[in-house]
Amino acid sequence: MIYSTLTNPAGKAVAQDQASRLALTLGGGGARAAYQVGVLRAIANRYPALRIPLLTGVSAGAINISYLANHTGSFRAQIDSLTELWQRLRLENVFATSGASLLWRAIRIGIRLSLGLPPKMRGVHGMVDTQPLRVFLHDTLQPENGCLPGIRENIERGRLEAVALTALSYGTGDTVTFHQGRPMPSWDQLRRRSVETPLTVEHVMASAALPLFFPPVQIDDDWYGDGGIRLVNPLAPAMHLGADRILAISNHYGGASRRTSPENEAPSPATVLSALYNAVFLDQLDQDVLEMEMVNELVRGLPPEKRSGRREVRLLTIRPSEDIGTIAHELRNELPPTLRELMGRLGTREIRSQDFLATVLFQTKFIERLIKLGARDGESYMPQLREFLEG
């Protein structure tokens, strides 16, 4: 059995069993992924030398995962650098925010819906132009010959065993998991398949292409969108890569549901979009966690010879202690005027929990609030984390 050592703040060396593969799984939610950074920061403060050999992500979580996989420093250095990345991230780094760009795209969408596409007018495939995000990722990840060099180096040095990013093929309707490192046996099933390939910025862009809002991304001969759309088992990629323990960070508030719109009024488009995006990015992880816990309980009750190859996978899920949508409502005026007006037309002024707005609120105050919330929640989970990592 192979061990490495973790160092906690007291300076005590803690054995980390590397034969038991630890995976980190990060889901989507756009700007809400800043919460994940805060949680990871709290963990890195306690375990600066932590090794996580398996990394899987989807949507905005794919951005965080690709950055960690591509960084060749220690876990603490990875998280410090990722935190700095989010702290300097602005809305204009994600999509074009000028009034002219937003209005022209809105006008072209309106013309296409009402009159059809006039001759010589290019179609619009997303509400915003995400070329700024592509440029930002290229500057940040610094690909070589299109590929992310740090991933290859980390795999060759044994720091990383595999990384996987998931996207949806609009051409076939399949959920496609692009992975580098370990193979993914038994992953290819109905409506899902794996592709082993060196990962690129385009794979990250494809996984994070929010449906309708962001345009699809072309890889080879197909077009891809956000991987959360049909990924009904977000924990499955980590399991098929061989994980025995999975640390999952959810962006979904774990408290009681709240009414988001006035009583006796039909829901606004923003309310409908909030429900749609929550179903895509948040609900599926919650359901998968429940199913895995039930399977673990069943496996524990069976003798080894009757488990039919099934195994227990230890799971720890960390989720926000505050409603991120409510935080977005408090900071809704941080958006640029034109985008704020367009969002208002969708009904964001009428609802108190801005789940849809939270997806696109890549603004400093919102990001800082989520990082602080994640760090605080990470500290509150430390007893469970200690048992999960050291037990």
Side-chain angles (χ1 to χ4, degrees), residues 304-330:
E305 66 274 10
K306 293 189 176 182
R307 293 179 180 178
S308 302
R310 296 179 178 86
R311 56 193 172 86
E312 181 180 358
V313 178
R314 294 186 63 198
L315 175 66
L316 177 62
T317 307
I318 298 176
R319 59 183 75 250
S321 59
E322 295 182 26
D323 187 349
I324 292 178
T326 300
I327 297 174
H329 178 69
E330 296 172 9

PDB file of all heavy atoms in Angstrom, residues 304-330:
ATOM      1  N   PRO A 304     -19.205 -10.048   0.587  1.00  0.00           N
ATOM      2  CA  PRO A 304     -18.416  -9.737  -0.616  1.00  0.00           C
ATOM      3  C   PRO A 304     -18.761 -10.597  -1.822  1.00  0.00           C
ATOM      4  O   PRO A 304     -18.799 -10.105  -2.950  1.00  0.00           O
ATOM      5  CB  PRO A 304     -16.974  -9.948  -0.160  1.00  0.00           C
ATOM      6  CG  PRO A 304     -17.020  -9.710   1.317  1.00  0.00           C
ATOM      7  CD  PRO A 304     -18.350 -10.211   1.771  1.00  0.00           C
ATOM      8  N   GLU A 305     -19.042 -11.889  -1.596  1.00  0.00           N
ATOM      9  CA  GLU A 305     -19.284 -12.781  -2.736  1.00  0.00           C
ATOM     10  C   GLU A 305     -20.612 -12.527  -3.424  1.00  0.00           C
ATOM     11  O   GLU A 305     -20.859 -13.032  -4.529  1.00  0.00           O
ATOM     12  CB  GLU A 305     -19.208 -14.245  -2.278  1.00  0.00           C
ATOM     13  CG  GLU A 305     -20.290 -14.679  -1.317  1.00  0.00           C
ATOM     14  CD  GLU A 305     -19.941 -14.383   0.150  1.00  0.00           C
ATOM     15  OE1 GLU A 305     -18.936 -13.665   0.379  1.00  0.00           O
ATOM     16  OE2 GLU A 305     -20.662 -14.886   1.029  1.00  0.00           O
ATOM     17  N   LYS A 306     -21.483 -11.719  -2.836  1.00  0.00           N
ATOM     18  CA  LYS A 306     -22.784 -11.446  -3.427  1.00  0.00           C
ATOM     19  C   LYS A 306     -22.932 -10.002  -3.920  1.00  0.00           C
ATOM     20  O   LYS A 306     -24.028  -9.566  -4.248  1.00  0.00           O
ATOM     21  CB  LYS A 306     -23.894 -11.758  -2.421  1.00  0.00           C
ATOM     22  CG  LYS A 306     -24.007 -13.250  -2.109  1.00  0.00           C
ATOM     23  CD  LYS A 306     -25.240 -13.555  -1.301  1.00  0.00           C
ATOM     24  CE  LYS A 306     -25.396 -15.052  -1.080  1.00  0.00           C
ATOM     25  NZ  LYS A 306     -26.626 -15.391  -0.317  1.00  0.00           N
ATOM     26  N   ARG A 307     -21.838  -9.291  -4.003  1.00  0.00           N
ATOM     27  CA  ARG A 307     -21.912  -7.887  -4.399  1.00  0.00           C
ATOM     28  C   ARG A 307     -21.879  -7.681  -5.914  1.00  0.00           C
ATOM     29  O   ARG A 307     -22.044  -6.557  -6.391  1.00  0.00           O
ATOM     30  CB  ARG A 307     -20.779  -7.096  -3.738  1.00  0.00           C
ATOM     31  CG  ARG A 307     -20.940  -7.001  -2.231  1.00  0.00           C
ATOM     32  CD  ARG A 307     -19.810  -6.244  -1.573  1.00  0.00           C
ATOM     33  NE  ARG A 307     -20.004  -6.165  -0.125  1.00  0.00           N
ATOM     34  CZ  ARG A 307     -19.154  -5.600   0.719  1.00  0.00           C
ATOM     35  NH1 ARG A 307     -18.016  -5.063   0.255  1.00  0.00           N
ATOM     36  NH2 ARG A 307     -19.413  -5.566   2.018  1.00  0.00           N
ATOM     37  N   SER A 308     -21.628  -8.727  -6.670  1.00  0.00           N
ATOM     38  CA  SER A 308     -21.628  -8.670  -8.144  1.00  0.00           C
ATOM     39  C   SER A 308     -20.753  -7.546  -8.687  1.00  0.00           C
ATOM     40  O   SER A 308     -21.118  -6.841  -9.621  1.00  0.00           O
ATOM     41  CB  SER A 308     -23.066  -8.505  -8.670  1.00  0.00           C
ATOM     42  OG  SER A 308     -23.889  -9.554  -8.233  1.00  0.00           O
ATOM     43  N   GLY A 309     -19.598  -7.357  -8.059  1.00  0.00           N
ATOM     44  CA  GLY A 309     -18.670  -6.343  -8.528  1.00  0.00           C
ATOM     45  C   GLY A 309     -18.936  -4.949  -7.989  1.00  0.00           C
ATOM     46  O   GLY A 309     -18.146  -4.033  -8.233  1.00  0.00           O
ATOM     47  N   ARG A 310     -20.052  -4.757  -7.321  1.00  0.00           N
ATOM     48  CA  ARG A 310     -20.348  -3.440  -6.750  1.00  0.00           C
ATOM     49  C   ARG A 310     -19.468  -3.199  -5.532  1.00  0.00           C
ATOM     50  O   ARG A 310     -19.112  -4.120  -4.812  1.00  0.00           O
ATOM     51  CB  ARG A 310     -21.819  -3.337  -6.364  1.00  0.00           C
ATOM     52  CG  ARG A 310     -22.763  -3.427  -7.552  1.00  0.00           C
ATOM     53  CD  ARG A 310     -24.218  -3.337  -7.107  1.00  0.00           C
ATOM     54  NE  ARG A 310     -25.123  -3.384  -8.236  1.00  0.00           N
ATOM     55  CZ  ARG A 310     -25.568  -4.500  -8.794  1.00  0.00           C
ATOM     56  NH1 ARG A 310     -25.159  -5.671  -8.331  1.00  0.00           N
ATOM     57  NH2 ARG A 310     -26.393  -4.455  -9.821  1.00  0.00           N
ATOM     58  N   ARG A 311     -19.142  -1.944  -5.301  1.00  0.00           N
ATOM     59  CA  ARG A 311     -18.271  -1.601  -4.184  1.00  0.00           C
ATOM     60  C   ARG A 311     -18.780  -0.336  -3.514  1.00  0.00           C
ATOM     61  O   ARG A 311     -19.480   0.470  -4.122  1.00  0.00           O
ATOM     62  CB  ARG A 311     -16.840  -1.375  -4.674  1.00  0.00           C
ATOM     63  CG  ARG A 311     -16.719  -0.323  -5.764  1.00  0.00           C
ATOM     64  CD  ARG A 311     -15.354  -0.343  -6.436  1.00  0.00           C
ATOM     65  NE  ARG A 311     -15.324   0.535  -7.591  1.00  0.00           N
ATOM     66  CZ  ARG A 311     -15.053   1.835  -7.544  1.00  0.00           C
ATOM     67  NH1 ARG A 311     -14.758   2.393  -6.380  1.00  0.00           N
ATOM     68  NH2 ARG A 311     -15.046   2.567  -8.634  1.00  0.00           N
ATOM     69  N   GLU A 312     -18.424  -0.205  -2.267  1.00  0.00           N
ATOM     70  CA  GLU A 312     -18.798   1.003  -1.546  1.00  0.00           C
ATOM     71  C   GLU A 312     -17.852   2.136  -1.926  1.00  0.00           C
ATOM     72  O   GLU A 312     -16.635   1.951  -1.969  1.00  0.00           O
ATOM     73  CB  GLU A 312     -18.736   0.771  -0.037  1.00  0.00           C
ATOM     74  CG  GLU A 312     -19.128   1.991   0.769  1.00  0.00           C
ATOM     75  CD  GLU A 312     -19.075   1.757   2.262  1.00  0.00           C
ATOM     76  OE1 GLU A 312     -18.763   0.620   2.669  1.00  0.00           O
ATOM     77  OE2 GLU A 312     -19.340   2.713   3.012  1.00  0.00           O
ATOM     78  N   VAL A 313     -18.399   3.290  -2.232  1.00  0.00           N
ATOM     79  CA  VAL A 313     -17.614   4.482  -2.553  1.00  0.00           C
ATOM     80  C   VAL A 313     -17.953   5.534  -1.501  1.00  0.00           C
ATOM     81  O   VAL A 313     -19.084   6.016  -1.436  1.00  0.00           O
ATOM     82  CB  VAL A 313     -17.930   5.020  -3.968  1.00  0.00           C
ATOM     83  CG1 VAL A 313     -17.119   6.285  -4.245  1.00  0.00           C
ATOM     84  CG2 VAL A 313     -17.631   3.960  -5.016  1.00  0.00           C
ATOM     85  N   ARG A 314     -16.984   5.858  -0.674  1.00  0.00           N
ATOM     86  CA  ARG A 314     -17.217   6.855   0.372  1.00  0.00           C
ATOM     87  C   ARG A 314     -17.447   8.221  -0.275  1.00  0.00           C
ATOM     88  O   ARG A 314     -16.796   8.590  -1.241  1.00  0.00           O
ATOM     89  CB  ARG A 314     -16.029   6.907   1.331  1.00  0.00           C
ATOM     90  CG  ARG A 314     -15.842   5.630   2.127  1.00  0.00           C
ATOM     91  CD  ARG A 314     -14.738   5.819   3.162  1.00  0.00           C
ATOM     92  NE  ARG A 314     -15.108   6.847   4.137  1.00  0.00           N
ATOM     93  CZ  ARG A 314     -14.244   7.463   4.923  1.00  0.00           C
ATOM     94  NH1 ARG A 314     -12.945   7.191   4.825  1.00  0.00           N
ATOM     95  NH2 ARG A 314     -14.651   8.365   5.795  1.00  0.00           N
ATOM     96  N   LEU A 315     -18.373   8.946   0.300  1.00  0.00           N
ATOM     97  CA  LEU A 315     -18.802  10.202  -0.316  1.00  0.00           C
ATOM     98  C   LEU A 315     -18.945  11.274   0.746  1.00  0.00           C
ATOM     99  O   LEU A 315     -19.510  11.053   1.818  1.00  0.00           O
ATOM    100  CB  LEU A 315     -20.140   9.998  -1.033  1.00  0.00           C
ATOM    101  CG  LEU A 315     -20.818  11.235  -1.636  1.00  0.00           C
ATOM    102  CD1 LEU A 315     -19.989  11.802  -2.769  1.00  0.00           C
ATOM    103  CD2 LEU A 315     -22.218  10.879  -2.128  1.00  0.00           C
ATOM    104  N   LEU A 316     -18.412  12.465   0.447  1.00  0.00           N
ATOM    105  CA  LEU A 316     -18.643  13.637   1.286  1.00  0.00           C
ATOM    106  C   LEU A 316     -19.070  14.776   0.371  1.00  0.00           C
ATOM    107  O   LEU A 316     -18.354  15.124  -0.577  1.00  0.00           O
ATOM    108  CB  LEU A 316     -17.378  14.025   2.056  1.00  0.00           C
ATOM    109  CG  LEU A 316     -17.503  15.303   2.916  1.00  0.00           C
ATOM    110  CD1 LEU A 316     -18.571  15.122   3.996  1.00  0.00           C
ATOM    111  CD2 LEU A 316     -16.173  15.660   3.553  1.00  0.00           C
ATOM    112  N   THR A 317     -20.232  15.335   0.657  1.00  0.00           N
ATOM    113  CA  THR A 317     -20.772  16.445  -0.138  1.00  0.00           C
ATOM    114  C   THR A 317     -20.840  17.696   0.714  1.00  0.00           C
ATOM    115  O   THR A 317     -21.423  17.684   1.801  1.00  0.00           O
ATOM    116  CB  THR A 317     -22.175  16.104  -0.669  1.00  0.00           C
ATOM    117  OG1 THR A 317     -22.140  14.850  -1.358  1.00  0.00           O
ATOM    118  CG2 THR A 317     -22.660  17.191  -1.617  1.00  0.00           C
ATOM    119  N   ILE A 318     -20.250  18.772   0.229  1.00  0.00           N
ATOM    120  CA  ILE A 318     -20.277  20.055   0.924  1.00  0.00           C
ATOM    121  C   ILE A 318     -21.173  20.995   0.123  1.00  0.00           C
ATOM    122  O   ILE A 318     -21.032  21.113  -1.096  1.00  0.00           O
ATOM    123  CB  ILE A 318     -18.862  20.644   1.053  1.00  0.00           C
ATOM    124  CG1 ILE A 318     -17.993  19.701   1.896  1.00  0.00           C
ATOM    125  CG2 ILE A 318     -18.897  22.035   1.673  1.00  0.00           C
ATOM    126  CD1 ILE A 318     -16.548  20.151   2.013  1.00  0.00           C
ATOM    127  N   ARG A 319     -22.093  21.658   0.818  1.00  0.00           N
ATOM    128  CA  ARG A 319     -23.031  22.548   0.129  1.00  0.00           C
ATOM    129  C   ARG A 319     -23.184  23.858   0.895  1.00  0.00           C
ATOM    130  O   ARG A 319     -22.881  23.923   2.098  1.00  0.00           O
ATOM    131  CB  ARG A 319     -24.377  21.849  -0.074  1.00  0.00           C
ATOM    132  CG  ARG A 319     -25.058  21.396   1.168  1.00  0.00           C
ATOM    133  CD  ARG A 319     -26.361  20.647   0.852  1.00  0.00           C
ATOM    134  NE  ARG A 319     -26.119  19.306   0.360  1.00  0.00           N
ATOM    135  CZ  ARG A 319     -26.348  18.931  -0.892  1.00  0.00           C
ATOM    136  NH1 ARG A 319     -26.782  19.807  -1.775  1.00  0.00           N
ATOM    137  NH2 ARG A 319     -26.141  17.684  -1.257  1.00  0.00           N
ATOM    138  N   PRO A 320     -23.645  24.925   0.229  1.00  0.00           N
ATOM    139  CA  PRO A 320     -23.710  26.249   0.861  1.00  0.00           C
ATOM    140  C   PRO A 320     -24.663  26.298   2.059  1.00  0.00           C
ATOM    141  O   PRO A 320     -25.722  25.668   2.052  1.00  0.00           O
ATOM    142  CB  PRO A 320     -24.204  27.158  -0.260  1.00  0.00           C
ATOM    143  CG  PRO A 320     -23.918  26.418  -1.521  1.00  0.00           C
ATOM    144  CD  PRO A 320     -24.037  24.974  -1.181  1.00  0.00           C
ATOM    145  N   SER A 321     -24.277  27.072   3.045  1.00  0.00           N
ATOM    146  CA  SER A 321     -25.125  27.293   4.212  1.00  0.00           C
ATOM    147  C   SER A 321     -26.037  28.502   4.016  1.00  0.00           C
ATOM    148  O   SER A 321     -26.888  28.771   4.864  1.00  0.00           O
ATOM    149  CB  SER A 321     -24.252  27.504   5.458  1.00  0.00           C
ATOM    150  OG  SER A 321     -23.390  28.614   5.284  1.00  0.00           O
ATOM    151  N   GLU A 322     -25.845  29.243   2.926  1.00  0.00           N
ATOM    152  CA  GLU A 322     -26.712  30.369   2.587  1.00  0.00           C
ATOM    153  C   GLU A 322     -27.207  30.212   1.159  1.00  0.00           C
ATOM    154  O   GLU A 322     -26.551  29.564   0.328  1.00  0.00           O
ATOM    155  CB  GLU A 322     -25.948  31.699   2.712  1.00  0.00           C
ATOM    156  CG  GLU A 322     -25.500  32.057   4.111  1.00  0.00           C
ATOM    157  CD  GLU A 322     -24.798  33.402   4.148  1.00  0.00           C
ATOM    158  OE1 GLU A 322     -25.075  34.252   3.269  1.00  0.00           O
ATOM    159  OE2 GLU A 322     -23.943  33.602   5.034  1.00  0.00           O
ATOM    160  N   ASP A 323     -28.362  30.808   0.882  1.00  0.00           N
ATOM    161  CA  ASP A 323     -28.943  30.758  -0.456  1.00  0.00           C
ATOM    162  C   ASP A 323     -28.171  31.704  -1.380  1.00  0.00           C
ATOM    163  O   ASP A 323     -28.213  32.930  -1.212  1.00  0.00           O
ATOM    164  CB  ASP A 323     -30.413  31.175  -0.391  1.00  0.00           C
ATOM    165  CG  ASP A 323     -31.138  31.000  -1.715  1.00  0.00           C
ATOM    166  OD1 ASP A 323     -30.448  30.758  -2.734  1.00  0.00           O
ATOM    167  OD2 ASP A 323     -32.366  31.112  -1.732  1.00  0.00           O
ATOM    168  N   ILE A 324     -27.438  31.133  -2.339  1.00  0.00           N
ATOM    169  CA  ILE A 324     -26.633  31.944  -3.246  1.00  0.00           C
ATOM    170  C   ILE A 324     -27.524  32.838  -4.112  1.00  0.00           C
ATOM    171  O   ILE A 324     -27.149  33.959  -4.469  1.00  0.00           O
ATOM    172  CB  ILE A 324     -25.724  31.037  -4.102  1.00  0.00           C
ATOM    173  CG1 ILE A 324     -24.656  30.388  -3.207  1.00  0.00           C
ATOM    174  CG2 ILE A 324     -25.065  31.818  -5.230  1.00  0.00           C
ATOM    175  CD1 ILE A 324     -23.730  29.439  -3.941  1.00  0.00           C
ATOM    176  N   GLY A 325     -28.717  32.356  -4.443  1.00  0.00           N
ATOM    177  CA  GLY A 325     -29.650  33.172  -5.221  1.00  0.00           C
ATOM    178  C   GLY A 325     -30.055  34.434  -4.490  1.00  0.00           C
ATOM    179  O   GLY A 325     -30.244  35.497  -5.093  1.00  0.00           O
ATOM    180  N   THR A 326     -30.198  34.345  -3.161  1.00  0.00           N
ATOM    181  CA  THR A 326     -30.550  35.514  -2.372  1.00  0.00           C
ATOM    182  C   THR A 326     -29.399  36.517  -2.346  1.00  0.00           C
ATOM    183  O   THR A 326     -29.612  37.739  -2.405  1.00  0.00           O
ATOM    184  CB  THR A 326     -30.914  35.095  -0.932  1.00  0.00           C
ATOM    185  OG1 THR A 326     -32.035  34.198  -0.975  1.00  0.00           O
ATOM    186  CG2 THR A 326     -31.289  36.298  -0.091  1.00  0.00           C
ATOM    187  N   ILE A 327     -28.166  36.019  -2.277  1.00  0.00           N
ATOM    188  CA  ILE A 327     -27.000  36.901  -2.337  1.00  0.00           C
ATOM    189  C   ILE A 327     -26.971  37.628  -3.679  1.00  0.00           C
ATOM    190  O   ILE A 327     -26.692  38.835  -3.752  1.00  0.00           O
ATOM    191  CB  ILE A 327     -25.706  36.094  -2.130  1.00  0.00           C
ATOM    192  CG1 ILE A 327     -25.689  35.462  -0.738  1.00  0.00           C
ATOM    193  CG2 ILE A 327     -24.469  36.976  -2.324  1.00  0.00           C
ATOM    194  CD1 ILE A 327     -24.513  34.528  -0.497  1.00  0.00           C
ATOM    195  N   ALA A 328     -27.279  36.904  -4.764  1.00  0.00           N
ATOM    196  CA  ALA A 328     -27.320  37.529  -6.091  1.00  0.00           C
ATOM    197  C   ALA A 328     -28.379  38.631  -6.145  1.00  0.00           C
ATOM    198  O   ALA A 328     -28.173  39.677  -6.771  1.00  0.00           O
ATOM    199  CB  ALA A 328     -27.580  36.477  -7.157  1.00  0.00           C
ATOM    200  N   HIS A 329     -29.520  38.400  -5.499  1.00  0.00           N
ATOM    201  CA  HIS A 329     -30.576  39.427  -5.470  1.00  0.00           C
ATOM    202  C   HIS A 329     -30.082  40.699  -4.794  1.00  0.00           C
ATOM    203  O   HIS A 329     -30.360  41.818  -5.260  1.00  0.00           O
ATOM    204  CB  HIS A 329     -31.799  38.876  -4.746  1.00  0.00           C
ATOM    205  CG  HIS A 329     -32.918  39.857  -4.614  1.00  0.00           C
ATOM    206  ND1 HIS A 329     -33.663  40.290  -5.689  1.00  0.00           N
ATOM    207  CD2 HIS A 329     -33.413  40.511  -3.530  1.00  0.00           C
ATOM    208  CE1 HIS A 329     -34.573  41.148  -5.284  1.00  0.00           C
ATOM    209  NE2 HIS A 329     -34.437  41.305  -3.975  1.00  0.00           N
ATOM    210  N   GLU A 330     -29.317  40.548  -3.725  1.00  0.00           N
ATOM    211  CA  GLU A 330     -28.785  41.709  -3.011  1.00  0.00           C
ATOM    212  C   GLU A 330     -27.816  42.505  -3.884  1.00  0.00           C
ATOM    213  O   GLU A 330     -27.717  43.728  -3.749  1.00  0.00           O
ATOM    214  CB  GLU A 330     -28.064  41.254  -1.742  1.00  0.00           C
ATOM    215  CG  GLU A 330     -28.971  40.589  -0.713  1.00  0.00           C
ATOM    216  CD  GLU A 330     -28.170  39.996   0.432  1.00  0.00           C
ATOM    217  OE1 GLU A 330     -26.950  40.252   0.493  1.00  0.00           O
ATOM    218  OE2 GLU A 330     -28.762  39.272   1.262  1.00  0.00           O
TER     219      GLU A 330
END
